[in-house]
Amino acid sequence: MVAQTDISTCHAETIGRELAWFEEVLDTRMKLYFNQECGYPAIGEVTPPEHARGNGYYADFIRTYRCTPAERLVLMLALAPHVRPQLLDVFCIKNATYDKSFCEFGGLKGVTHGGFLPTGETAVFLLAGDDLAERMEAEKLFRASHYFFTQQMLQLQEAGSNEPYLSGGLSLSPDQVSCFSSGAGRKPHFSKDFPARLIHTQMEWEDLILPEETLAQIEEIRTWIQYHPVLMNDWGFGKKLKPGYKCLFYGPPGTGKTLVACLLGKRCGMDVYRIDLSMLVSKYIGETEKNLEKIFQQAENKNWILFFDEADALFGKRSGVNDSHDRYANQETAYLLQRLEDFNGIVILATNLKSNIDEAFARRFQSMIYFPVPKAKDRIRIWERSFSPRTVLEEAIDLEQLARRHDLTGGMIMNVIRYCSLMALQRNENVIRLHDAEIGIQKELVKEGRMLS
């Protein structure tokens, strides 16, 4: 197995060679444009470097997307301000005739960045010079249908009113900058712009205790994750099916919905982000859609699972139209429906009651999985597996009897075990006592308005 440091070194060397090629192409373009002596008749004569398979993220990237030399030059132009800004200083020269910068170079001045920031115009000049036919060909790289933009790798900022669209700033997405500059993807931090937290579990798939029918349905999600590229691309279902996979988990609290989302991510090598609906849902018109769009944009084409816990707040039933506020709320739901349909990743919604979810959303789910309160035989397994191996149970504790008498969820059982364990530690011992278990069970039942039987 190749060490991570070796991979990082290979990636850095790959980017270094790519930037050296970019610099030579840029030098050639400037010499040709100003009719200076040059070793090449055209920039296409400057041979791009070849990067061996496995030489880091960038080498794999250009192989995966079969990047053309023109596409690679645009990527390096956008990356240069982040890793080698001095390469673009050549664009800062003034046009002596008019005592101003060369408008054909494009470019912007940053607020805090002291160097040259490229625009779409800069990229087109690099690729085409003043050749009109080549310019028109280069502009194709900035169409909305190009994978740079459909995959949200590259951004061309909106130009001012009535200004040429290529005068907008050219920049890589933050994720792409991180991948190209470090060879590893950047995990977003929880913030108002990304109200979602990365969640995980130390438990394993074998620790999961659920009915067989529930486990079988969960396995369908894992099968989709593993085989959807073959299904959609090789088998041609991409023309017939909506992208992505949407699933509803429903059932009482503490039955394992969040745990299963985490375990799916762990088993399939995917990050799981739980959306904070308190920060997402806004009383102000249009803000909820904006907040949700920020999440979907960052999650697009990522190997993530988006987990909406207590999803009723966002995907609940629409109301009747009695006033303008109701009408807007229904418009918001219509937007959510469309955005959910168009998202190409994995989305899991969780709710305590299936009936709380709008039927319009329910029709979009590929699967709806019920998480029941565990039956006695499953409750016994949860009790038996959950105590610390450092503890011992006093003789009065009969786990089978506890499991049969009290229909607790897995989450409730874990709360009882936590309470018992803390009480044992407080006594400076490792013995779990029946008295503490009964108090813990009583606490859990009171939460639900029930009494100890």
Side-chain angles (χ1 to χ4, degrees):
M1 185 174 179
V2 180
Q4 185 62 45
T5 52
D6 294 337
I7 295 173
S8 299
T9 299
C10 288
H11 174 77
E13 292 173 349
T14 296
I15 291 293
R17 289 195 298 273
E18 197 80 350
L19 286 169
W21 167 63
F22 168 82
E23 184 177 16
E24 190 171 6
V25 170
L26 178 56
D27 179 66
T28 300
R29 169 56 67 209
M30 299 300 280
K31 286 178 178 177
L32 291 173
Y33 189 68
F34 290 111
N35 296 314
Q36 297 172 352
E37 184 177 345
C38 182
Y40 300 98
I43 64 166
E45 298 297 317
V46 185
T47 305
E50 293 186 9
H51 305 299
R53 184 181 296 277
N55 272 15
Y57 176 88
Y58 183 77
D60 294 338
F61 176 93
I62 62 174
R63 184 172 292 103
T64 298
Y65 287 97
R66 300 177 182 177
C67 295
T68 65
E71 290 169 340
R72 290 165 62 177
L73 287 169
V74 171
L75 291 172
M76 287 300 103
L77 175 65
L79 179 65
H82 300 275
V83 296
R84 201 165 288 173
Q86 65 270 29
L87 289 181
L88 305 185
D89 284 349
V90 65
F91 289 121
C92 296
I93 62 173
K94 277 195 170 185
N95 186 328
T97 304
Y98 301 104
D99 191 32
K100 69 178 190 68
S101 59
F102 286 84
C103 62
E104 58 267 46
F105 294 170
L108 299 170
K109 188 70 176 176
V111 177
T112 56
H113 180 73
F116 180 93
L117 295 174
T119 61
E121 192 64 55
T122 314
V124 170
F125 170 78
L126 174 67
L127 298 176
D130 59 359
D131 187 304
L132 187 58
E134 290 187 9
R135 178 187 174 90
M136 291 179 176
E137 185 66 26
E139 286 184 9
K140 294 179 181 178
L141 297 179
F142 300 96
R143 293 178 179 174
S145 58
H146 193 280
Y147 71 85
F148 279 170
F149 300 96
T150 60
Q151 304 291 309
Q152 297 185 25
M153 301 170 181
L154 205 65
Q155 300 163 348
L156 189 60
Q157 297 170 2
E158 188 173 343
S161 179
N162 297 321
E163 294 186 18
Y165 79 99
L166 286 176
S167 62
L170 179 71
S171 61
L172 289 171
S173 70
D175 287 331
Q176 215 59 66
V177 170
S178 177
C179 290
F180 285 173
S181 60
S182 67
R186 177 185 67 90
K187 296 185 187 297
H189 297 292
F190 179 84
S191 68
K192 63 180 180 62
D193 290 326
F194 188 75
R197 298 183 188 275
L198 182 64
I199 59 174
H200 54 83
T201 179
Q202 295 184 22
M203 296 180 70
E204 301 297 336
W205 198 263
E206 295 72 25
D207 298 321
L208 193 59
I209 299 175
L210 287 170
E212 288 299 323
E213 56 269 26
T214 303
L215 289 171
Q217 288 182 287
I218 295 168
E219 187 66 19
E220 290 179 20
I221 305 176
R222 192 195 66 79
T223 302
W224 164 267
I225 293 171
Q226 181 176 355
Y227 294 108
H228 82 272
V230 176
L231 182 72
M232 301 297 276
N233 300 324
D234 298 351
W235 285 29
F237 278 87
K239 301 176 182 178
K240 306 172 185 177
L241 300 178
K242 291 288 186 180
Y245 193 97
K246 294 84 185 175
C247 179
L248 177 69
F249 289 177
Y250 67 99
T255 49
K257 298 185 289 293
T258 302
L259 174 60
V260 167
C262 291
L263 287 174
L264 273 171
K266 189 173 185 178
R267 191 176 186 187
C268 299
M270 305 174 72
D271 287 337
V272 181
Y273 285 92
R274 178 166 55 197
I275 314 304
D276 187 331
L277 294 181
S278 67
M279 291 184 66
L280 186 69
V281 178
S282 173
K283 64 181 179 180
Y284 298 107
I285 292 177
E287 285 302 307
T288 299
E289 292 97 316
K290 289 180 183 178
N291 294 339
L292 185 66
E293 186 62 27
K294 290 175 183 177
I295 290 176
F296 277 128
Q297 282 185 353
Q298 292 200 55
E300 204 77 49
N301 304 302
K302 301 290 197 316
N303 198 34
W304 295 353
I305 294 174
L306 295 184
F307 182 67
F308 291 84
D309 199 7
E310 299 181 358
D312 322 44
L314 190 60
F315 302 95
K317 289 185 175 180
R318 286 174 284 187
S319 62
V321 181
N322 298 316
D323 55 32
S324 60
H325 194 81
D326 290 337
R327 189 158 48 250
Y328 167 70
N330 290 342
Q331 290 173 358
E332 178 184 273
T333 301
Y335 162 80
L336 295 175
L337 280 167
Q338 189 60 53
R339 197 60 185 90
L340 194 66
E341 273 202 340
D342 293 341
F343 182 61
N344 64 6
I346 308 294
V347 177
I348 297 175
L349 274 59
T351 180
N352 295 339
L353 292 173
K354 176 184 172 184
S355 58
N356 288 348
I357 299 295
D358 193 306
E359 291 180 3
F361 288 111
R363 289 194 294 270
R364 269 74 174 180
F365 296 133
Q366 277 71 47
S367 62
M368 292 189 286
I369 303 176
Y370 178 54
F371 287 71
V373 173
K375 295 181 179 179
K377 62 181 180 65
D378 290 329
R379 294 198 296 270
I380 293 170
R381 292 168 63 201
I382 296 172
W383 279 108
E384 290 175 343
R385 292 187 183 188
S386 299
F387 284 102
S388 168
R390 292 179 176 269
T391 60
V392 294
L393 308 183
E394 71 171 355
E395 292 185 6
I397 292 181
D398 184 337
L399 293 182
E400 184 173 344
Q401 185 182 48
L402 286 179
R404 296 191 183 283
R405 282 182 58 196
H406 307 293
D407 55 340
L408 306 180
T409 67
M412 295 169 75
I413 292 173
M414 287 307 305
N415 285 341
V416 174
I417 291 174
R418 180 191 294 115
Y419 175 78
C420 294
S421 301
L422 287 172
M423 293 301 99
L425 288 170
Q426 189 179 59
R427 293 190 298 269
N428 197 28
E429 63 181 25
N430 68 338
V431 179
I432 303 297
R433 302 197 177 277
L434 177 61
H435 175 69
D436 294 332
E438 290 176 340
I439 293 177
I441 292 170
Q442 180 69 64
K443 287 175 175 289
E444 293 304 305
L445 294 177
V446 167
K447 293 178 186 177
E448 297 193 341
R450 294 189 283 163
M451 296 298 293
L452 186 64
S453 56

